Amino acid sequence: MSSLSTTSSLRPASLEARARVRVLARIADLYLADALKQLFEETKRDPDPAAVARWRAPVEAALGHIDRQLDGGVYAVGDRMSTADCGLPPLLDFVRRS
C-alpha cells in the first residue's frame, strides 16, 4: 500500500482565520447566492427595472460584507489558499456577468 503524500490543508492554521473563512462561506450562502439567483431569474425574461433593483441591492450588500472580510492580498484569508478561495470564485463570476 502506498503512503499518502503530505498535502497542505485548505483550512487556515489560526482560529481567527478559520472563523473568517467560515464567515465568508456563510455570507455567500445566506446572502449572496439566493439574491444572485433571483437577480438572474429576473433578468432572463423581460426585466422589470424595479425588480432588478430590488435584487441588485442585496447582492451589492453581500458583496460589501464579503469585501470587508477579505485580506486584500492574493488569497481571501491569509497567505495561502483556503476553502474561501474555492467557494467564492464561482459566485463572484456570476456577479461579474450580471
Side-chain angles (χ1 to χ4, degrees):
M1 178 183 267
S2 66
S3 64
L4 297 174
S5 64
T6 304
T7 59
S8 61
S9 173
L10 289 175
R11 291 177 38 182
S14 80
L15 294 177
E16 178 186 353
R18 285 183 186 190
R20 288 183 49 223
V21 166
R22 286 192 304 272
V23 165
L24 282 165
R26 294 302 285 167
I27 292 169
D29 288 345
L30 295 175
Y31 301 105
L32 182 58
D34 185 55
L36 194 55
K37 177 185 178 293
Q38 297 300 329
L39 179 61
F40 270 12
E41 289 298 319
E42 187 59 43
T43 58
K44 281 192 326 189
R45 50 188 180 271
D46 186 22
D48 170 24
V52 169
R54 184 173 52 249
W55 289 111
R56 181 171 230 112
V59 167
E60 290 173 359
L63 291 174
H65 294 307
I66 288 170
D67 191 51
R68 285 186 287 282
Q69 292 297 319
L70 298 175
D71 280 346
V74 173
Y75 300 106
V77 176
D79 60 356
R80 62 189 183 99
M81 185 175 278
S82 70
T83 54
D85 297 289
C86 301
L88 287 175
L91 285 174
L92 296 177
D93 186 51
F94 282 119
V95 169
R96 182 183 58 80
R97 294 178 188 205
S98 65

